[in-house]
């Protein structure tokens, strides 16, 4: 059990807000304003952080990147998704069994301590309420002679029906939430003079006016909820002390020395006071000394009420402070991920077929890294040599920093992908052995299969990775180019092929990472796969919880009419730097366009600048109607293109590009991409190619819309 990022953010916001209010207390001297500020601060700390933690935040990119192990360049990755059938992983002997930690981590202790402490504090409040109820059975209304004595000293605004007497020795106090009552010990009524009785009644009348018995219970509940926060206890203590000062000044402003001596005698005689009551005097010597000093030094014309302007300022200032604290989140910020040399963005993949069942429509981003070290990684005193270990975002950062200090550590980063609930994603970078009749297909490189299943309560991630390499040559961490870019392997090299496979299935909380241990290769390197699961909304923005990533798809209505699209094949020397030199061109990527096969989207004047150094082979125009897919160009039989207009995007044209993946093995799969463009816009699309062949580039220009 660990604290979720949301609860950690709530705790941080509560700490920041209470600390800010505690600092503001030093700016006020009058007890009335200090009590109002302290009370408002406690209530705000108990309520506002639960909402401020839900607010989105934008975290700027860090100025200095986190230290990471040396990262190898990425080669040519292929990523696609298919609807996942009943996905079951055959676990390895170590899969699914997490290592047993000898001692729980600090975050685990905090996750248990917070609710446990709150439950204990709430039970203590329940016991106090039970004692208060039992004590209330001793209350009685004043008799006729006692009522006459009280009526002679009764201050204006206080009714005799609000007073109760008790035979239990205690300090005069105000108690009760629904109907607060002023409770006076009957023995004190007999021994006090008329002036002392007036002091008692006026002091407790101040507590009745301020509804202090009600606020006492609410403050106790707030302290129980955030019992670990020292600032909320500081604010509660300041409120209680300031309220006593206000009630003392309400009782007497002229004869202060006599009132002070009476408080000392009362605190000495009445040792006990109820926790949830507002007593006149208690036995705490330091608190009483400070209270008397403040009372004797208070000016004679001090205000005992808080004006409406001050309350209005508090009502605006505290939400503003909470809003400022929402700029800081835990687990919601964008984690630094080592990217490929091409700066590949996360891929938003096209959905597969309709999924069976009633699984929620959910999208998450999977960020995969493979880390190879000379010795097994050790984290929190435990060797990470088993699959299924789940790490928080903070623990993952600490693990990566630890790996950065290890000599010879190597990190490979896979393309980040976005995957929907129930889909299976396939990420691969492979080279295939020349086919030999009668032999099975043999490949070298990386193949990663992943799937997610979310049932509305928890998310399960399935990983299956295959890593095949030739030591000191292709795809090996110990080679000069681990991406398989060397010369083709000989027959003897293929005989030296080593294969490592691993699988794991684990329940993953939001923004957590799963470790899949791949084992030790012949060169002595220990390899692990780290998969981080981050919930995102349909626009690609990171959200805090899985339920925030659930969306409801709505069918899009197409508009009638025709769209004319012109196509041209591109070639020339400048194609070699299209992917790098055009990065400075002002191109706008929409969330549904982030794929490696799209080189760019250009306006008419940008396209005129780009194509000056290119050889353009015009394929001619083609006309598309709504809901009709075409294969209009003979030179591109593998291309399936549709151009439509939708009701909600009347000013844009939706291009749906489907390209048959090259190679006989992949003949049944298509790489599909959809994007919205305006009339006159040119899209450059890079065709996937077979091993060893240059990719082709296609320019699609939306010419007219009828």
């Amino acid at each position: 059990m660990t604290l979720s990022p949301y609860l950690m953010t709530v705790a941080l916001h509560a700490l920041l807000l209470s600390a800010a209010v505690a600092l503001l207390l030093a700016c006020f001297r009058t007890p009335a304003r200090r009590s109002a500020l302290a009370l408002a601060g406690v209530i705000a700390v108990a309520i506002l952080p639960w909402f401020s933690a839900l607010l989105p935040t934008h975290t700027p990119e860090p100025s200095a990147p986190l230290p990471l192990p040396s990262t190898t360049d990425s080669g040519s990755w292929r990523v696609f998704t298919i609807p996942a059938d009943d996905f079951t992983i055959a676990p390895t002997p170590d899969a699914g069994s997490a290592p047993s930690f000898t001692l729980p981590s600090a975050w685990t202790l905090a996750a248990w301590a917070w609710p446990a402490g709150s439950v204990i504090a709430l039970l203590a409040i329940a016991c106090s309420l039970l004692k208060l109820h039992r004590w209330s059975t001793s209350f009685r209304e004043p008799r006729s002679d006692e009522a006459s004595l009280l009526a002679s000293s009764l201050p204006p605004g206080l009714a005799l029906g609000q007073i109760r007497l008790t035979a239990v020795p205690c300090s005069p106090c105000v108690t009760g939430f629904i109907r607060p009552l002023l409770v006076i010990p009957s023995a004190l009524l007999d021994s006090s003079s008329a002036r002392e009785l007036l002091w008692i009644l006026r002091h407790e009348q101040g507590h009745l006016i301020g509804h202090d018995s009600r606020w006492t219970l609410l403050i106790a509940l707030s302290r129980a909820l955030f019992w670990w926060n020292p600032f909320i206890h500081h604010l509660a203590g300041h409120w209680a002390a300031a309220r006593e000062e206000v009630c003392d000044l309400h009782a007497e402003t002229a004869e202060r020395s006599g009132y002070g001596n009476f408080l000392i005698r009362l605190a000495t005689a009445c040792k006990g006071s109820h926790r949830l009551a507002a007593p006149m005097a208690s036995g705490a010597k330091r608190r009483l000394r400070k209270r008397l000093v403040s009372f004797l030094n208070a000016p004679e014309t001090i205000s005992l009420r808080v004006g409406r302007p001050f309350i209005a300022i508090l009502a605006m200032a505290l939400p503003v402070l909470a809003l400022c604290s929402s700029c800081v989140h835990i687990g919601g910020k964008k984690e630094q991920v080592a990217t490929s040399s091409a700066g590949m963005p996360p891929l938003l993949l096209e959905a597969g077929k309709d999924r069976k069942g009633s699984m929620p429509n959910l999208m998450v981003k999977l960020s995969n890294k493979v880390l190879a070290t000379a010795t097994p990684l050790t984290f929190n005193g435990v060797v990470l040599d088993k699959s299924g270990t789940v790490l928080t975002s903070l623990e993952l950062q600490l693990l990566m920093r630890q790996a950065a200090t290890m000599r010879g550590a190597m990190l490979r980063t896979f393309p980040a992908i976005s995957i929907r609930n129930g889909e299976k994603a396939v990420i691969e970078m492979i080279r295939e052995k020349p086919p030999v009749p009668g032999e099975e297909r043999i490949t070298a490189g990386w193949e990663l299969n992943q799937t997610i299943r979310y049932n509305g309560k928890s998310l399960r991630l399935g990983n299956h990775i295959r890593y095949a390499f030739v030591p000191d040559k292709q795809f090996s961490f110990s080679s000069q180019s681990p991406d398989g870019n060397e010369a083709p392997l000989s027959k003897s090299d293929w005989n030296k092929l080593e294969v490592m496979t691993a699988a794991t299935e684990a329940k993953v909380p939001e923004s957590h990472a799963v470790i899949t241990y791949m084992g030790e290769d012949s060169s002595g390197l220990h390899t692990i796969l780290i998969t981080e699961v981050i919930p995102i909304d349909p626009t690609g923005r990171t959200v805090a919880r899985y339920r925030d990533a659930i969306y409801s798809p709505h069918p899009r209505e197409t508009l009638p009419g025709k769209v004319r699209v012109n196509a041209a094949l591109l070639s020339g020397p400048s194609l070699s730097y299209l992917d790098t030199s055009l990065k400075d061109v002002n191109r706008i990527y929409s969330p549904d366009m982030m794929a490696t096969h799209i080189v760019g989207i250009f306006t008419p004047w940008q396209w005129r600048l780009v194509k000056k150094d290119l050889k353009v082979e015009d394929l001619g125009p083609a006309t598309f109607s709504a809901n009709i897919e075409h294969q209009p160009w003979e030179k591109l039989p593998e291309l399936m293109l549709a151009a439509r207009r939708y009701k909600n995007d009347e000013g844009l044209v939706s291009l749906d590009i489907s390209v048959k993946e090259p190679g006989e093995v992949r003949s049944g799969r298509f790489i599909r991409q959809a994007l919205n463009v305006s009339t006159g816009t040119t899209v450059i699309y890079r065709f996937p190619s077979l091993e060893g062949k240059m990719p082709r580039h296609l320019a699609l220009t939306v010419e007219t819309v009828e």
Side-chain angles (χ1 to χ4, degrees):
M1 176 180 178
T2 57
L3 284 176
S4 66
Y6 171 71
L7 288 180
M8 294 171 66
T9 304
V10 169
L12 178 61
H13 290 185
L15 197 64
L16 294 176
L17 183 59
S18 57
V21 177
L23 290 176
L24 287 177
L25 277 177
C27 302
F28 297 94
R29 292 290 180 264
T30 59
R33 289 189 173 183
R34 285 194 291 112
S35 65
L37 177 59
L39 175 62
V42 172
I43 301 303
V45 170
I47 298 175
L48 294 182
W50 302 98
F51 298 96
S52 62
L54 297 174
L55 296 177
T57 181
H58 173 72
T59 304
E61 293 295 330
S63 56
L66 296 174
L68 293 174
S70 56
T71 307
T72 59
D73 294 334
S74 292
S76 177
W77 292 97
R78 287 189 291 189
V79 184
F80 52 91
T81 57
I82 57 177
D85 299 326
D86 295 334
F87 190 77
T88 305
I89 294 178
T92 58
D94 292 333
S97 59
S100 57
F101 288 84
T102 55
L103 290 176
S105 64
W107 293 113
T108 302
L109 291 176
W112 285 105
W114 186 355
S118 297
V119 169
I120 293 174
L122 291 175
L123 289 176
I125 293 175
C127 293
S128 298
L129 289 174
L130 182 60
K131 292 180 181 179
L132 182 61
H133 176 72
R134 293 177 58 185
W135 179 44
S136 64
T137 58
S138 66
F139 297 170
R140 63 178 178 84
E141 296 183 357
R143 296 189 294 267
S144 57
D145 56 335
E146 295 170 335
S148 301
L149 181 60
L150 290 171
S152 61
S153 302
L154 203 64
L158 182 64
L160 192 61
Q162 295 176 283
I163 301 175
R164 295 291 184 271
L165 300 179
T166 179
V168 179
C170 64
S171 171
C173 63
V174 170
T175 183
F177 187 85
I178 299 177
R179 186 188 175 192
L181 297 173
L182 194 162
V183 181
I184 302 175
S186 55
L188 188 62
L189 188 64
D190 299 333
S191 61
S192 300
S193 63
R195 188 162 189 80
E196 292 173 346
L197 184 58
L198 178 62
W199 286 339
I200 293 174
L201 294 177
R202 287 184 62 85
H203 180 96
E204 297 306 324
Q205 184 186 25
H207 285 304
L208 285 172
I209 294 174
H211 306 280
D212 291 346
S213 60
R214 293 168 175 165
W215 292 123
T216 299
L217 177 59
L218 295 178
I219 289 176
L221 294 175
S222 302
R223 295 174 70 179
L225 186 61
F226 294 98
W227 59 268
W228 45 265
N229 187 350
F231 295 107
I232 198 171
H233 301 295
H234 175 77
L235 295 177
H238 266 271
W239 173 81
R243 284 305 303 166
E244 292 300 332
E245 294 177 24
V246 171
C247 294
D248 289 339
L249 294 171
H250 185 270
E252 181 60 66
T253 56
E255 193 180 342
R256 298 191 180 185
S257 59
Y259 180 80
N261 291 327
F262 175 68
L263 281 181
I264 295 175
R265 294 199 312 270
L266 189 62
T268 305
C270 305
K271 296 292 184 180
S273 62
H274 201 277
R275 175 186 175 186
L276 298 180
M280 183 176 182
S282 61
K285 296 181 180 180
R286 292 182 58 186
R287 189 181 306 167
L288 182 60
R289 184 186 301 114
K290 185 177 179 180
R291 173 181 167 186
L292 290 174
V293 170
S294 300
F295 172 69
L296 295 174
N297 295 332
E300 295 182 359
T301 58
I302 190 171
S303 176
L304 301 182
R305 291 185 177 273
V306 178
R308 292 183 178 179
F310 184 78
I311 296 177
I313 292 174
L314 285 183
M316 293 185 294
L318 291 177
V320 169
L321 288 176
L323 188 63
C324 293
S325 67
S326 67
C327 298
V328 183
H329 278 61
I330 296 179
K333 65 181 182 178
K334 181 181 178 182
E335 302 293 337
Q336 180 180 1
V337 179
T339 59
S340 65
S341 59
M344 187 180 299
L347 307 179
L348 191 64
L349 301 171
E350 184 70 21
K353 300 178 181 178
D354 294 337
R355 296 181 296 273
K356 299 178 180 180
S358 58
M359 293 187 299
N361 291 292
L362 174 101
M363 184 177 291
V364 299
K365 183 175 73 173
L366 302 181
S367 178
N368 296 283
K369 308 178 185 70
V370 172
L371 183 61
T373 55
T375 57
L377 278 172
T378 303
F379 187 71
N380 279 351
V382 175
V383 180
L384 298 180
D385 57 354
K386 297 180 183 298
S387 297
T389 303
V390 178
L391 304 177
T392 65
S393 178
L394 178 60
E395 290 173 337
L396 177 58
Q397 291 188 42
L398 296 177
L399 178 66
M400 298 306 294
R401 290 184 179 181
Q402 174 187 335
T405 62
M406 301 178 66
R407 185 175 181 181
M410 296 291 293
L411 178 69
R412 164 170 292 285
T413 301
F414 287 31
I417 62 171
S418 298
I419 181 174
R420 293 180 174 90
N421 190 17
E423 285 184 338
K424 181 168 69 173
V426 181
I427 308 174
E428 62 180 25
M429 183 174 64
I430 59 174
R431 296 195 69 173
E432 188 172 357
K433 179 183 178 181
V436 177
E439 287 189 2
E440 296 182 356
R441 177 174 177 258
I442 301 177
T443 60
W446 300 88
E447 294 181 70
L448 175 60
N449 292 263
Q450 296 182 296
T451 189
I452 61 168
R453 295 283 187 179
Y454 180 70
N455 58 7
K457 297 181 179 179
S458 61
L459 182 141
R460 298 195 68 86
L461 169 71
N463 279 343
H464 187 283
I465 187 168
R466 178 184 183 272
Y467 171 40
F469 64 98
V470 178
D472 300 325
K473 289 195 176 182
Q474 284 195 356
F475 296 104
S476 173
F477 278 106
S478 58
S479 66
Q480 295 296 324
S481 178
D483 300 314
N485 295 327
E486 304 90 341
L489 295 174
S490 63
K491 184 176 181 180
S492 59
D493 290 333
W494 281 105
N495 295 332
K496 301 176 183 177
L497 188 71
E498 293 187 15
V499 179
M500 300 173 64
T501 59
T504 186
E505 186 174 358
K507 183 164 65 174
V508 190
E510 296 90 340
S511 299
H512 282 54
V514 179
I515 300 295
T516 303
Y517 181 67
M518 299 174 57
E520 180 181 3
D521 62 16
S522 59
S523 60
L525 290 177
H526 295 263
T527 308
I528 61 172
L529 170 68
I530 305 172
T531 304
E532 191 173 9
V533 183
I534 303 173
I536 59 175
D537 62 13
T539 66
R541 185 183 62 178
T542 301
V543 295
R545 297 166 296 182
Y546 287 137
R547 64 183 183 184
D548 296 333
I550 298 176
Y551 63 94
S552 299
H554 299 285
R556 303 180 66 186
E557 182 180 351
T558 57
L559 294 176
K562 297 181 179 181
V563 179
R564 182 184 174 95
V565 179
N566 188 72
L569 283 175
L570 307 179
S571 60
S574 60
L575 280 176
S576 60
Y577 57 83
L578 265 178
D579 295 326
T580 56
S581 63
L582 298 183
K583 286 183 180 179
D584 297 330
V585 179
N586 184 19
R587 296 173 293 174
I588 301 177
Y589 287 89
S590 61
D592 59 347
M593 198 215 85
M594 293 185 291
T596 55
H597 298 289
I598 299 294
V599 177
I601 299 179
F602 305 97
T603 62
W605 69 268
Q606 290 173 339
W607 174 234
R608 286 195 295 269
L609 294 176
V610 169
K611 70 176 183 179
K612 287 191 303 183
D613 299 327
L614 296 175
K615 181 180 178 182
V616 180
E617 181 185 353
D618 194 2
L619 300 180
T623 303
F624 301 89
S625 300
N627 301 319
I628 299 178
E629 291 192 354
H630 292 260
Q631 186 176 313
W633 295 288
E634 296 181 358
K635 290 188 177 182
L636 300 173
E638 67 271 34
L639 175 67
M640 297 290 293
L641 182 67
R644 306 182 181 94
R645 290 191 303 154
Y646 291 100
K647 186 174 182 180
N648 296 332
D649 299 317
E650 296 183 10
L652 299 175
V653 175
S654 177
L655 292 181
D656 194 336
I657 308 170
S658 297
V659 179
K660 197 173 184 180
E661 191 170 338
E664 296 181 359
V665 178
R666 307 295 185 189
S667 58
R669 295 175 179 173
F670 286 81
I671 300 175
R672 188 175 180 184
Q673 183 63 51
L675 64 158
N676 295 330
V677 296
S678 57
T679 305
T681 302
T682 299
V683 179
I684 298 182
Y685 183 84
R686 183 177 62 245
F687 275 70
S689 61
L690 290 170
E691 296 278 344
K693 292 187 178 181
M694 292 294 295
R696 292 181 296 171
H697 291 73
L698 177 69
L700 297 172
T701 303
V702 180
E703 293 186 342
T704 59
V705 176
E706 301 176 0

